[in-house]
Amino acid sequence: MEKSVFIVIPAYNEEKMIGKVIRELKENNYNNIIVVDDGSKDSTSKIVESLNTNIITHIINRGQGAALQTGTEYALRKGADIIVHFDADGQFKAEEIKNITQPIVNEEVEVTLGSRFLGTAVNIPHSKKITLKLGILFTYFFSGLKLTDTHNGFRALSRDAAQKILITQDKMAHASEIVDEIKKKKIKFKEIPVTVIYSEYSKKKGQSIFNSIKIAFNLIIKKLAK
Amino acid sequence: MTIIQIILILFIIFALSRVFLRLKEGTISWKEFSFWTIVWTTGIVIVTNPKIPGRISYTIGIGRPADLILYTSTALLFYLVFRIYIKLNQMEESTTKIVREVSIEKARKNEPKSNKNN
């Protein structure tokens, strides 16, 4: 029986790109789309509704991690077999969803993590590259996992994995938390080459190095508090 | 007894009365009441016996009693700030859980009837 694939897109003030992203997904025959509007102040919701697409709206902004967990829980309630996390800013290619879901469909692994360093990072700024490489080092010391790309929002989870992984980091530390959950819960995973396109638009929305320090701090505090 | 000792003792008695009132109101638990009572009572003991910090700091190996009080207070403050930070994080998580439940319930009620799975 064919597995149902749900695409979860966390969105915050993405009126410029969300329409294009949804249209591209539908052109690639992905119709189970769940957009989580994380308290946007612009027309993100209206655009999604006009495209007859599922939308969940956080009444106040909680962060990308929170939005992903909301979307994942909703997808599970709707019977998703595979859940794909996909960014709303047009950085990812819809046609690569097939590559990222195939190892889960084949039951080789339960989670696939996109890697721009195995794939292609188009127009990646130097500062971003350095920040991401530092992130890889941090993840290795923090979670013990050796990955080529630790902060990539393009990932796929089997139903089982989505039920086991709990995202409690509301903001950007969720990416590292997911990796930590994979290690703790001994979930089989694989990295898949993906393309990440850095447009002028997405570069403006990207994370600074100060945010990376904040992410590391939040993760360490969480570990100490346990 | 010096004037400063009298002022400090009066302040501590006032602080203790507030702690007792909070317990009576039910805004603090017995555990918290006990903690703050011990803290303020220790304050009265030190204020009325100013040689005690000197004896303790000499035993530990810290030169001046004022330094001992400063180090102890700083450590305690850091710990309290850490606890407050943890509490804030827990409140943020709770807020997110509420926002999530509300948003999912609303989405389920508004599901388009023509929405079918692949």
Side-chain angles (χ1 to χ4, degrees):
Chain A
M1 199 171 77
E2 210 181 299
K3 292 190 192 269
S4 63
V5 177
F6 277 69
I7 317 293
V8 169
I9 309 174
Y12 178 61
N13 292 343
E14 294 284 6
E15 62 180 5
K16 290 194 168 72
M17 292 304 293
I18 193 68
K20 183 169 185 268
V21 169
I22 291 172
R23 278 189 288 272
E24 275 177 13
L25 286 165
K26 289 188 173 182
E27 278 162 19
N28 281 274
N29 296 315
Y30 295 106
N31 294 308
N32 291 324
I33 301 167
I34 297 167
V35 175
V36 184
D37 176 0
D38 189 25
S40 298
K41 302 268 183 275
D42 64 3
S43 322
T44 300
S45 268
K46 287 202 179 87
I47 293 167
V48 175
E49 280 162 357
S50 71
L51 293 169
N52 198 31
T53 300
N54 283 307
I55 182 149
I56 305 172
T57 308
H58 281 172
I59 50 172
I60 50 171
N61 177 254
R62 299 312 298 157
Q64 195 183 52
L68 278 173
Q69 181 64 26
T70 300
T72 302
E73 279 186 27
Y74 188 64
L76 286 170
R77 287 186 202 207
K78 287 181 81 70
D81 293 313
I82 297 174
I83 295 164
V84 175
H85 292 168
F86 200 81
D87 279 0
D89 57 6
Q91 282 199 321
F92 303 146
K93 288 179 155 186
E95 52 262 38
E96 290 183 351
I97 292 175
K98 191 163 197 282
N99 304 340
I100 212 161
T101 53
Q102 199 59 50
I104 299 174
V105 170
N106 297 341
E107 294 180 4
E108 291 167 38
V109 291
E110 289 200 75
V111 172
T112 49
L113 303 171
S115 170
R116 78 203 83 194
F117 296 116
L118 287 179
T120 321
V122 181
N123 295 328
I124 182 169
H126 281 297
S127 55
K128 183 78 182 183
K129 208 170 178 178
I130 294 164
T131 309
L132 288 168
K133 293 286 184 187
L134 285 171
I136 290 164
L137 210 62
F138 177 79
T139 301
Y140 179 63
F141 286 116
F142 188 78
S143 307
L145 283 183
K146 218 171 173 181
L147 298 172
T148 60
D149 190 352
T150 56
H151 258 253
N152 194 312
F154 201 173
R155 60 178 79 81
L157 300 90
S158 68
R159 187 178 177 81
D160 275 348
Q163 285 170 328
K164 284 179 200 164
I165 291 170
L166 180 63
I167 304 170
T168 61
Q169 291 283 345
D170 288 351
K171 312 259 179 233
M172 297 313 291
H174 70 273
S176 300
E177 189 185 28
I178 289 170
V179 170
D180 203 39
E181 286 279 279
I182 286 169
K183 170 76 195 250
K184 264 182 13 210
K185 290 167 184 174
K186 297 180 172 53
I187 297 171
K188 259 179 114 185
F189 75 99
K190 188 178 179 176
E191 282 194 292
I192 302 290
V194 296
T195 307
V196 177
I197 305 160
Y198 287 87
S199 60
E200 284 312 309
Y201 172 77
S202 67
K203 276 184 216 173
K204 275 190 210 149
K205 286 207 125 202
Q207 303 299 311
S208 69
I209 191 158
F210 298 109
N211 232 52
S212 309
I213 296 164
K214 212 172 150 186
I215 289 168
F217 180 73
N218 282 337
L219 289 165
I220 291 164
I221 290 290
K222 185 95 191 201
K223 271 242 158 100
L224 288 173
K226 279 197 183 146
Chain B
M1 209 173 259
T2 61
I3 295 173
I4 186 70
Q5 280 176 299
I6 295 167
I7 292 171
L8 284 170
I9 290 167
L10 285 171
F11 172 74
I12 290 171
I13 291 169
F14 171 75
L16 272 168
S17 69
R18 298 297 105 185
V19 171
F20 181 70
L21 264 167
R22 296 286 164 264
L23 177 73
K24 226 174 147 194
E25 278 170 15
T27 49
I28 59 169
S29 63
W30 271 101
K31 209 172 156 190
E32 284 161 323
F33 171 75
S34 308
F35 172 75
W36 288 113
T37 305
I38 290 167
V39 167
W40 292 119
T41 311
T42 307
I44 288 186
V45 167
I46 290 172
V47 165
T48 49
N49 296 282
K51 286 190 178 144
I52 290 176
R55 277 190 223 129
I56 296 171
S57 67
Y58 178 74
T59 311
I60 294 172
I62 295 171
R64 301 180 308 170
D67 287 348
L68 170 68
I69 291 168
L70 190 66
Y71 298 156
T72 313
S73 309
T74 308
L76 186 66
L77 276 167
F78 267 117
Y79 175 69
L80 285 172
V81 166
F82 175 69
R83 288 293 303 267
I84 289 167
Y85 187 80
I86 300 297
K87 195 80 193 170
L88 267 170
N89 267 349
Q90 286 169 347
M91 282 170 64
E92 288 280 335
E93 276 185 39
S94 300
T95 307
T96 297
K97 277 187 187 145
I98 295 166
V99 169
R100 177 169 299 137
E101 272 310 308
V102 165
S103 61
I104 289 178
E105 265 317 296
K106 201 174 166 193
R108 288 178 79 180
K109 284 183 186 156
N110 295 340
E111 271 169 12
K113 291 189 178 105
S114 60
N115 198 23
K116 287 183 187 133
N117 289 347
N118 246 359

